[in-house]
Amino acid sequence: MASDFPADFQAMRLGDGTVAAKVLREMIFYTSSLTVEDYDALLALYLRYCPPDRNRLFMIPELSWWSSVADPMLTMSARAVRGKPLAEFEAVRHRIEKHRWFFSKLWDGLRIDAPEGSWSLDIQRRRAPEDGWMGYVRFLMPIDVPDDTHLALAREVIDTIPFISGHGGLCFTYLPDWKASAFDLIYAKAARFLGVDIEDLAVTLPHMRAELKPPCWLNALGRDPVWSTKLWRQLCALPETSDARVYHERFGLLVQLSDGPRLFDVNRREEPTTAYRQYDAAISGVRLRDIGTFSGPRFYANPDSTGEWLSRFSTVGSA
């Protein structure tokens, strides 16, 4: 897969040579509730997929910076359960039990300019704009991770925790400290490569309780009452008229729209397949729309560009 990418996808550089963005594999699930049991299951699941030598650093709210997994900085609650598996995350377990906000991160420490890409897990829960909570579970992986591994991880998450929705495939990632400049780099690439997702959780997360991201390689729908029976039936029927595959798991379904992630390079006239267009049509009533504008001067200068990107699969020609 990595050899199929344009060279600059691995290092999208600013004028001074700083790598500010690149493409990785992503799998993200949106959640409204998470138990301690769910949280521990997610940590264990990630550690089964992440190569052992890439499990290096972690961060939680009680620590001011990244701590080594091999020699962890322990909070008082962690010291009280010393010897317990993953004791360093005990403070997060307490936050979950007390229904508080939290974040929990694991990272291999490889920065965005590392050519081999990086592994990370980011689990967060925040106050929703209305009552209640909104959270997510986000996995990032190098692009040379096999498709079968990516797919297996997605199916296992759906079999492990309740969730609202999710999606995965190729995704533009960026340096948070250089977000606006990075999104200027992403702007042109996103217009050319329709199959690569843009993730800007500051903009999209408040909408993910009742809306869906545009088509990705993998698309997950949880058993949440917000989704209509009609939508479920339409998604389950996609394999009858396209190459889509549907997997039914304990807490929802997964819709796979192609054998592997696709770039859909507009310059090469690689138009989205029937499966992507039919999935987009099926979710049209709940697809993300009015989310404002992505970051960066180029998106701000063209205020319609974010909406055009969200509807890109409904405006291309037939495959």
Side-chain angles (χ1 to χ4, degrees):
M1 168 64 74
S3 61
D4 298 333
F5 278 76
D8 62 348
F9 261 32
Q10 293 294 82
M12 297 166 61
R13 299 180 184 274
L14 302 176
D16 64 359
T18 299
V19 178
K22 73 184 307 177
V23 173
L24 291 174
R25 286 178 178 261
E26 176 195 54
M27 197 69 222
I28 185 167
F29 294 88
Y30 304 99
T31 63
S32 59
S33 62
L34 202 68
T35 66
V36 171
E37 291 74 18
D38 295 334
Y39 173 69
D40 282 337
L42 286 167
L43 292 177
L45 187 156
Y46 173 76
L47 293 176
R48 286 198 300 274
Y49 283 88
C50 177
D53 65 337
R54 303 286 283 273
N55 178 33
R56 298 170 182 165
L57 301 171
F58 76 96
M59 183 189 288
I60 60 176
E62 286 71 18
L63 302 181
S64 58
W65 192 239
W66 295 96
S67 176
S68 168
V69 169
D71 184 20
M73 187 182 304
L74 298 180
T75 61
M76 291 181 62
S77 57
R79 289 195 292 271
V81 294
R82 192 187 298 269
K84 177 181 178 178
L86 300 173
E88 58 268 32
F89 295 104
E90 192 67 13
V92 175
R93 297 184 183 100
H94 288 183
R95 285 176 172 269
I96 294 173
E97 289 174 339
K98 296 176 181 178
H99 304 286
R100 298 175 61 194
W101 70 272
F102 72 87
F103 65 79
S104 173
K105 302 182 182 186
L106 282 163
W107 177 42
D108 63 7
L110 295 180
R111 299 188 179 278
I112 198 166
D113 57 356
E116 60 266 50
S118 66
W119 282 85
S120 68
L121 171 66
D122 182 8
I123 307 174
Q124 297 203 27
R125 181 167 69 186
R126 307 173 183 174
R127 274 288 181 191
E130 304 85 22
D131 292 338
W133 297 96
M134 191 65 192
Y136 63 86
V137 180
R138 189 186 191 202
F139 302 82
L140 289 177
M141 300 163 279
I143 59 173
D144 59 2
V145 166
D147 294 340
D148 288 348
T149 300
H150 193 154
L151 176 62
L153 182 150
R155 294 184 64 181
E156 191 168 350
V157 173
I158 298 172
D159 199 45
T160 300
I161 64 164
F163 67 100
I164 301 170
S165 69
H167 52 86
L170 305 175
C171 181
F172 292 109
T173 61
Y174 52 88
L175 278 176
D177 291 344
W178 291 91
K179 184 176 180 180
S181 298
F183 267 72
D184 263 12
L185 298 175
I186 290 169
Y187 181 91
K189 291 288 189 293
R192 176 180 172 183
F193 299 100
L194 304 185
V196 184
D197 188 30
I198 299 175
E199 194 58 81
D200 188 354
L201 287 164
V203 173
T204 59
L205 185 61
H207 300 269
M208 300 312 298
R209 178 171 283 174
E211 297 179 61
L212 296 173
K213 206 75 183 286
C216 293
W217 172 48
L218 302 176
N219 308 271
L221 200 69
R223 301 188 187 281
D224 192 291
V226 70
W227 310 124
S228 68
T229 301
K230 178 182 178 182
L231 177 60
W232 270 80
R233 289 174 177 168
Q234 287 178 309
L235 297 185
C236 290
L238 285 176
E240 299 173 9
T241 55
S242 73
D243 294 332
R245 301 172 190 170
V246 177
Y247 304 91
H248 295 266
E249 309 296 347
R250 181 184 178 193
F251 291 106
L253 59 81
L254 183 71
V255 182
Q256 178 185 352
L257 296 180
S258 51
D259 288 340
R262 299 283 298 276
L263 292 178
F264 297 129
D265 185 348
V266 171
N267 288 2
R268 296 184 178 180
R269 301 183 182 276
E270 296 174 356
E271 293 187 343
T273 63
T274 299
Y276 283 78
R277 289 185 287 106
Q278 289 187 352
Y279 177 87
D280 186 74
I283 68 167
S284 61
V286 292
R287 184 181 358 97
L288 280 175
R289 279 184 172 80
D290 301 321
I291 65 170
T293 304
F294 286 140
S295 298
R298 298 182 74 178
F299 278 105
Y300 288 134
N302 182 3
D304 294 332
S305 58
T306 299
E308 290 168 354
W309 181 83
L310 292 170
S311 62
R312 65 197 185 281
F313 289 103
S314 62
T315 57
V316 293
S318 300

